[in-house]
């Protein structure tokens, strides 16, 4: 396989113009040689969905859609020494042959390669999850998908939307998932907070819900702390990214609510912000103050503070938009942030 450097980043492709060829399987060398010489290429506008590839022209190879679950292997290969104008292509291997996808250049070729790999991985994990009810296998499959998303060269919010929707739907339909398995999934998701800049709304909403309602809030404190450190130490536009501010707020409240470890909040503040002019992160205090004021406003607002949150409902597996209460318990918020003011 010959792809671009490992640090290259790509967006998830949905459609594009490709040269497409079908290769019949040949066991003999002579068949492979004549197959390469007589190979025909068709020009198609190919569309990639969650389950299939299809062409807008609908002829030849793409007279019918190609379903992703029929693919056995995806790779980038050198096409042929008899076709010097075509160096390499994305290869889709099936039981009855091979389909080659040739893009306009190496970058577009690799973009298609990684996009197909991601859609193929999500589809395979969905199939595996439908076939089991074992909590250990479910946790293993979900962790595997998270690791694939973290290692993927796709830098696209849709990757994490696909990942979180699958995880949330699975968790909501699996009542027997033990707390330790849920902890492992949350721990696997943790590094995404630092890798994604800024984190996606779906990721922040998912983590906020876990900080508020999760059975293992102590795990959230350990897993999310590096990500919240990164958020508060950088210049974040909380007016634009309100969901990041909400996540930071819910994390700090969960941190202050750790009765078993009352030193959690002081340790968090001290590791993040040193006193006086010695602190190398001047954005920490303004960001903490923004989170603090927004939390106080949310808790003490006299009007009914409601908001539409379709993304949370999507993660909860609901297709309808509901009105959810966004008010916070006054005493909890006050105690939490008064502790923080004393520490400053």
């Amino acid at each position: 396989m010959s792809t671009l450097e490992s640090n290259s980043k790509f967006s998830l492709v949905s459609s594009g113009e490709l040269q497409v060829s079908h290769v019949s399987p040949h066991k003999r060398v002579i068949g492979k040689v004549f197959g390469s010489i007589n190979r025909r290429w068709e020009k198609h506008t190919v569309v990639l969905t969650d389950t299939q590839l299809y062409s807008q022209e609908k002829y030849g190879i793409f007279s019918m859609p190609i379903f992703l679950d029929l693919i056995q292997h995806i790779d980038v290969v050198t096409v042929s020494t008899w076709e010097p104008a075509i160096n390499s292509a994305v290869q889709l291997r099936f039981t009855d042959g091979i389909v080659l996808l040739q893009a306009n250049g190496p970058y577009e070729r690799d973009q298609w390669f990684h996009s197909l790999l991601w859609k193929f991985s999500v589809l395979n994990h969905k199939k595996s999850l439908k076939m089991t009810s074992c909590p250990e296998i479910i946790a293993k499959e979900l962790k595997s998908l998270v690791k694939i998303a973290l290692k993927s060269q796709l830098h696209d919010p849709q990757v994490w939307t696909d990942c979180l929707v699958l995880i949330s739907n699975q968790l909501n339909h699996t009542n027997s998932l033990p707390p330790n398995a849920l902890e492992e999934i949350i721990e696997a998701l943790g590094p995404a907070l630092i890798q994604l800049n800024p984190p996606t709304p779906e990721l922040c909403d998912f983590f906020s819900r876990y900080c508020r309602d999760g059975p293992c809030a102590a795990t959230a404190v350990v897993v999310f702390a590096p990500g919240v450190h990164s958020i508060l130490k950088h210049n974040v536009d909380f007016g634009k990214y309100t969901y990041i501010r909400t996540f930071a707020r819910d994390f700090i409240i969960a941190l202050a609510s750790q009765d078993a470890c009352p030193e959690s909040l002081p340790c968090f503040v001290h590791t993040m912000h040193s006193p006086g002019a010695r602190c190398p992160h001047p954005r920490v205090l303004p960001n903490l103050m923004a989170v603090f004021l927004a939390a106080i406003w949310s808790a003490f607002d006299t009007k009914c503070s409601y908001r539409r949150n379709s993304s949370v409902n999507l993660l909860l597996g609901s297709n309808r938009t509901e009105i959810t209460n966004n008010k916070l318990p006054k005493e909890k918020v006050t105690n939490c942030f008064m502790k923080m003011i004393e520490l400053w």
Side-chain angles (χ1 to χ4, degrees):
M1 182 178 71
S2 176
T3 58
L4 297 178
E5 295 180 5
S6 59
N7 57 357
S8 299
K9 296 294 182 182
F10 308 94
S11 59
L12 191 66
V13 68
S14 58
S15 64
E17 291 188 356
L18 298 173
Q19 297 285 338
V20 184
S21 178
H22 181 267
V23 182
S24 299
H26 294 285
K27 293 184 178 180
R28 296 185 178 181
V29 176
I30 189 66
K32 294 181 180 180
V33 171
F34 281 106
S36 299
I37 295 174
N38 298 321
R39 184 174 296 144
R40 294 179 57 188
W41 292 90
E42 301 174 355
K43 187 176 181 179
H44 289 271
T45 302
V46 181
V47 179
L48 173 62
T49 69
D50 292 338
T51 58
Q52 64 183 15
L53 279 169
Y54 69 90
S55 171
Q56 294 180 353
E57 287 77 16
K58 294 182 173 61
Y59 76 94
I61 298 170
F62 276 108
S63 56
M64 296 291 289
I66 294 177
F67 293 97
L68 300 183
D69 57 356
L70 299 178
I71 298 175
Q72 293 182 329
H73 187 67
I74 303 173
D75 205 349
V76 174
V77 296
T78 300
V79 175
S80 173
T81 55
W82 289 274
E83 294 175 282
I86 302 176
N87 294 323
S88 59
V90 179
Q91 174 184 269
L92 309 180
R93 183 177 293 275
F94 301 87
T95 54
D96 59 345
I98 293 170
V99 172
L100 298 174
L101 307 176
Q102 174 63 30
N104 292 327
Y107 185 88
E108 189 175 341
R109 175 205 64 202
D110 285 6
Q111 186 180 25
W112 274 97
F113 170 66
H114 290 290
S115 298
L116 282 163
L117 271 184
W118 173 248
K119 295 292 187 181
F120 183 67
S121 298
V122 173
L123 196 61
N124 280 342
H125 281 80
K126 284 182 179 179
K127 289 172 59 179
S128 299
L129 289 169
K130 285 181 181 179
M131 297 172 61
T132 183
S133 58
C134 176
E136 289 76 15
I137 297 178
I138 291 173
K140 182 180 178 181
E141 289 292 329
L142 295 179
K143 285 169 59 181
S144 172
L145 183 63
V146 171
K147 289 180 180 178
I148 292 173
L150 286 169
K151 293 180 180 180
S152 174
Q153 291 180 236
L154 292 174
H155 193 72
D156 194 297
Q158 186 60 39
V159 169
W160 288 103
T161 300
D162 293 343
C163 191
L164 291 172
V165 167
L166 181 58
I167 290 174
S168 296
N169 288 341
Q170 189 63 41
L171 294 181
N172 286 321
H173 290 90
T174 308
N175 299 322
S176 59
L177 198 64
N180 62 328
L182 183 58
E183 287 182 35
E184 292 177 2
I185 296 169
I186 295 297
E187 288 174 2
L189 276 170
L193 271 176
I194 300 175
Q195 179 171 315
L196 297 177
N197 185 26
T200 64
E202 292 79 12
L203 192 67
C204 287
D205 287 339
F206 183 85
F207 287 164
S208 288
R209 184 162 65 95
Y210 190 80
C211 287
R212 292 192 302 266
D213 308 325
C216 311
T219 303
V221 169
V222 176
V223 173
F224 299 154
V228 177
H229 273 149
S230 178
I231 289 170
L232 294 176
K233 287 179 180 179
H234 293 86
N235 190 12
V236 180
D237 186 353
F238 284 142
K240 182 178 180 181
Y241 303 112
T242 55
Y243 55 89
I244 299 180
R245 184 185 64 201
T246 301
F247 166 59
R249 176 200 71 188
D250 292 334
F251 169 80
I252 292 172
I253 293 174
L255 191 69
S257 304
Q258 297 298 305
D259 297 330
C261 188
E263 296 299 318
S264 296
L265 186 62
C267 289
F268 175 78
V269 174
H270 292 153
T271 56
M272 184 175 54
H273 180 69
S274 16
R278 297 197 307 269
C279 182
H281 303 289
R283 292 302 311 169
V284 169
L285 278 181
N287 285 339
L288 280 173
M289 184 57 68
V291 173
F292 169 70
L293 292 176
I296 293 296
W297 179 87
S298 181
F300 288 88
D301 184 20
T302 55
K303 300 178 181 179
C304 291
S305 177
Y306 292 94
R307 65 186 175 99
R308 289 187 178 272
N309 196 335
S310 58
S311 61
V312 172
N313 289 321
L314 175 65
L315 291 175
L316 291 173
S318 173
N319 293 323
R320 53 192 171 89
T321 302
E322 297 179 348
I323 304 296
T324 55
N325 194 345
N326 193 34
K327 292 188 71 62
L328 295 171
K330 297 179 182 179
E331 183 179 353
K332 198 172 187 179
V333 172
T334 305
N335 292 338
C336 169
F337 288 97
M338 286 304 294
K339 287 180 184 177
M340 294 199 69
I341 290 176
E342 292 174 1
L343 293 170
W344 294 345

